[in-house]
Amino acid sequence: MDLGVSDEMLGTFVPIAVYWIYSGIYVVLGSFAESYRLHSKQEEDEKNLVSKGAVVKGVLLQQLVQAVVATVLFALTGSDSQNTTSQNTSLLVLARQIVTAMLVMDAWQYFMHRYMHHNKFLYKHIHSLHHRLIVPYSYGALYNHPVEGLLNDTVGGALSFLVSGMSPRASIFFFSFATIKTVDDHCGLLLPGNLFHIFFKNNSAYHDVHHQLYGNKYNFSQPFFIMWDKILGTYMPYTLEEREGGGFETKPCKDYKDD
């Protein structure tokens, strides 16, 4: 049975389901883990410039737009070209494809993200929507303007898929993993034993710096590695300090406080 188009569609819709499931897990964990928060629950409620209801609606709108675009593209371009790929791809080849996809996605999102900060028009009318979340939380990870969602996520995802040469079936797992990583980056928690924080320096604390006023022009890298920030001088080192009342707080290192 020909499953190529079906697998491509799953690569679009499975990550959407994963987004809400994984976000929900963090919401539950956050209600019991005040001592591992980067911001208090009160700060989350008071500092953000958009209601949680509006965030949910905004994410659903963006996901709807992306799903429609993906469905139309698959209908117009769907073919058997990728279906001939063996489902028994070796682990070495699969690992190479996934790493390639990660590098392509990181490069695309870094430069698009950085440009949206430095272009005043794009920041004011597009990207500033995401920065209404001064205190990030899990299900606000994809709270973006739909145009940003298409440019960053849809185009970036398509490039990652095409350049890596992965099969549609492999893409289901890759995009689900990328979604989970993005949610984790915005969850606002530093949970002990979190594997993402063990294997990736680009984590919830790293991205929290970017959401604060002092870090707005730093730490653009997302969602996997921090190499582009390091290479191009936009890396802001930070410290984690225990917050009075429990939890942690990210603070820039002294050299960056006056930038």
Side-chain angles (χ1 to χ4, degrees), residues 26 33 35-38 187-194 197 203-206 238 240 247-250:
Y26 269 127
S35 58
Y36 298 108
R37 280 179 166 271
L38 291 170
C187 72
L189 298 171
L190 283 177
L191 296 172
N194 187 326
H197 294 186
N203 53 39
S204 56
Y206 187 88
Y238 60 92
L240 278 171
F248 301 95
E249 182 179 1
T250 57

Side-chain angles (χ1 to χ4, degrees), residues 33-41 43 188 240-250:
E34 189 69 29
S35 58
Y36 298 108
R37 280 179 166 271
L38 291 170
H39 299 269
S40 68
K41 187 68 170 61
E43 288 177 320
L240 278 171
E241 300 181 11
E242 292 189 6
R243 187 176 63 244
E244 184 178 351
F248 301 95
E249 182 179 1
T250 57

Side-chain angles (χ1 to χ4, degrees), residues 9 117 130 169 199 221:
M9 296 303 294
H117 272 269
H130 182 67
R169 186 163 299 178
F199 291 104
S221 292

Side-chain angles (χ1 to χ4, degrees), residues 198-213:
I198 294 173
F199 291 104
F200 295 96
K201 291 185 179 180
N202 195 338
N203 53 39
S204 56
Y206 187 88
H207 195 65
D208 181 75
V209 169
H210 177 71
H211 273 262
Q212 307 313 307
L213 182 61

Side-chain angles (χ1 to χ4, degrees), residues 144-239:
N144 299 310
H145 192 286
V147 171
E148 179 175 354
L150 287 173
L151 291 175
N152 260 1
D153 300 323
T154 305
V155 175
L159 288 173
S160 300
F161 173 72
L162 293 172
V163 174
S164 68
M166 67 174 59
S167 69
R169 186 163 299 178
S171 75
I172 299 171
F173 298 97
F174 172 71
F175 291 127
S176 295
F177 173 67
T179 298
I180 290 172
K181 180 65 172 62
T182 300
V183 170
D184 187 87
D185 291 345
H186 290 80
C187 72
L189 298 171
L190 283 177
L191 296 172
N194 187 326
L195 293 178
F196 287 121
H197 294 186
I198 294 173
F199 291 104
F200 295 96
K201 291 185 179 180
N202 195 338
N203 53 39
S204 56
Y206 187 88
H207 195 65
D208 181 75
V209 169
H210 177 71
H211 273 262
Q212 307 313 307
L213 182 61
Y214 62 78
N216 192 259
K217 295 296 177 68
Y218 295 91
N219 294 11
F220 297 111
S221 292
Q222 55 184 28
F224 301 111
F225 310 114
I226 65 172
M227 61 182 184
W228 287 111
D229 279 319
K230 287 274 193 176
I231 293 170
L232 297 176
T234 53
Y235 169 71
M236 175 178 280
Y238 60 92
T239 60

